[in-house]
């Protein structure tokens, strides 16, 4: 086959086109991602001499990925085209006689196929993190966080509001453009630790089928690095800044408030903020400059309260598989008396006792009785300065306290910071936003 190709090459004049991953200003070249999606969807990838086998998005899914310096053949409108995978660049080889006839429609075809793959959500999602040793680069890993809107316990009305808000955002491209606005939507998730903010971000990304860019502001050295990182994000992504309140409170921060304001406004022209969902998480917004959170900068505020009885029932249903239980009235009464724990704490108690729903619910009751009095003692009150939890000296659910740490390691894609501040509990979407009016 190779010999035949060489003989053929002898009789043809070829032209080459490069599709680099980054353009001159080190921004991502969106065509590169599209070409990559397209090539990896071609059946002929199986015929390449060397391909990598990697795990796909779904469990037990194995996908083929073109290896470095490998060639893949494609056919379009009667012409044969060759793609080479050079590291960071795809090289297209096309016969000169075919070029004029097929190049444009071929590129349009690639766009259309890649868009379709995106739409079908077939694309494997990625989690990007900025790295400490190179302030201006992202590093990516497959994003496989299993959280969905079904697994996050939340007031049902609010959950469906957020879902329809995101759905209408996805359809609102023309609407935003008619208004001369950047097609983006920003969310503030605030509430005590362990109430599901990070899980909710993952659920949003899974729902939208968007990549996640998790910005750690502590690893950024200046405003311009922040800008540069934002410029490198790709459309169809959720850009997340966790614990913004904590960062703003730090006096030693290397990024100015105006740097963050600019970032939040995504002022850097529409090209770098189109089709982005921005999410900021905080424990409390009490001490944050309201200007930073004004409508337009942050479109939707969502409060994540501590667990109430209805959230408890949702957790019991998903963690223990029980919809009703004879101990429920007792639990309800304790909640009515004002006791509460975070969903994370209750979830962990349930996981530790998942073989016996009664024992699990009893351990929640005990924990609520000891810890739920305004979060003054027990699990919560035992935090030390450096955010580590002490071992409990009581016997109550002793096993669970170990599991807390273990599970955090297990579940966390996002950092679990254990600052706890209590706050009140009404979840709300702010009223007037352009999309909601629509
Ligand atoms: N509302 C919830 N519904 C279901 N599970 C929850 C909920 N809240 C927390 N959990 C569980 O608790 C664990 C921690 O939750 P998560 O990291 O999302 O909390 P967080 O609000 O981001 O906390 P932090 O402010 O400390 O970052 C996760 O494993 C998650 O599954
Ligand atoms: Mg979190």
């Amino acid at each position: 086959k190779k010999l035949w190709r060489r003989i053929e090459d002898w009789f043809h004049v070829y032209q080459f086109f490069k599709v680099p991953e980054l353009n001159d200003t080190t921004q991502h070249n969106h065509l590169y991602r599209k070409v990559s999606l397209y090539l990896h969807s071609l059946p002929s990838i199986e015929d390449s001499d060397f391909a990598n086998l990697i795990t796909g998005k779904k469990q037990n899914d194995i996908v083929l990925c073109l290896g470095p310096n490998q060639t893949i053949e494609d056919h379009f409108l009667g012409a044969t085209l060759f793609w080479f995978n050079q590291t960071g660049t795809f090289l297209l080889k096309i016969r000169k006689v075919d070029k004029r006839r097929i190049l444009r429609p071929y590129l349009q075809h690639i766009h259309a196929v890649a868009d379709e793959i995106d739409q079908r959500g077939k694309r494997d999602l990625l989690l990007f993190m900025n790295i400490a040793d190179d302030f201006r680069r992202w590093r990516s890993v497959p994003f496989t966080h299993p959280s969905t809107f079904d697994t996050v316990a939340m007031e049902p009305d609010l959950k469906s509001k957020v879902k329809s808000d995101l759905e209408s955002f996805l359809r609102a491209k023309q609407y935003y453009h008619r208004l001369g606005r950047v097609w983006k939507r920003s969310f503030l998730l605030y509430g005590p630790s362990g109430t599901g903010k990070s899980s909710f971000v993952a659920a949003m990304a899974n729902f939208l089928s968007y990549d996640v860019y998790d910005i750690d502001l502590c690893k950024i050295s200046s405003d311009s690095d922040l800008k540069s990182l934002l410029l490198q994000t790709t459309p169809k992504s959720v850009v997340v800044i966790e614990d913004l309140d904590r960062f703003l409170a730090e006096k030693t921060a290397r990024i100015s408030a105006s740097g963050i304001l600019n970032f939040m406004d995504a002022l850097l022209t529409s090209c770098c903020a189109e089709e982005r969902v921005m999410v900021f998480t905080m424990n409390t917004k009490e001490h944050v400059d309201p200007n930073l959170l004004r409508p337009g900068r942050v479109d939707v505020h969502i409060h994540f309260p501590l667990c109430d009885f209805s959230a408890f029932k949702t957790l019991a249903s998903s963690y223990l598989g029980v919809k009703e239980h004879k101990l429920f009235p007792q639990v309800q009464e304790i909640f009515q008396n004002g006791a509460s724990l975070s969903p994370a704490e209750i979830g962990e108690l349930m996981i530790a006792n998942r073989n016996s729903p009664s024992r699990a619910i009893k351990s929640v009751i005990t924990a609520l009785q000891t810890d739920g009095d305004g979060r003054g003692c027990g699990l919560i009150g035992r935090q030390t300065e450096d955010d580590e939890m002490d071992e409990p000296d009581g016997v109550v659910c002793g096993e669970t306290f170990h599991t807390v740490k273990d599970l955090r390691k297990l579940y966390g894609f996002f950092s679990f910071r254990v600052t706890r501040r209590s706050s009140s509990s009404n979840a709300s979407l702010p009223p007037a936003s352009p999309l909601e009016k629509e």
Side-chain angles (χ1 to χ4, degrees), residues 306-373:
L306 292 171
C307 215
D308 60 6
F309 181 60
S310 117
F312 165 83
K313 282 210 297 191
T314 315
L315 292 173
S317 160
S318 48
Y319 284 66
L320 305 172
V322 292
K323 295 219 181 303
E324 274 308 325
H325 196 279
K326 61 179 188 317
L327 289 172
F328 275 10
Q330 198 184 338
V331 179
Q332 184 171 20
E333 200 187 318
I334 298 174
F335 274 118
Q336 275 166 358
N337 290 339
S340 192
L341 290 171
S342 72
E345 287 155 341
I346 291 184
E348 281 154 13
L349 287 169
M350 288 177 172
I351 288 173
N353 298 291
R354 62 184 173 280
N355 294 329
S356 160
S358 298
R359 200 171 63 223
I361 298 172
K362 274 183 199 152
S363 68
V364 172
I365 291 174
T366 319
L368 280 168
Q369 282 167 339
T370 46
D371 302 319
D373 53 355

Side-chain angles (χ1 to χ4, degrees), residues 387-399:
D387 279 356
E388 276 296 325
M389 286 195 195
D390 272 355
E391 296 297 324
D393 43 16
V395 285
V396 190
C397 317
E399 179 204 342

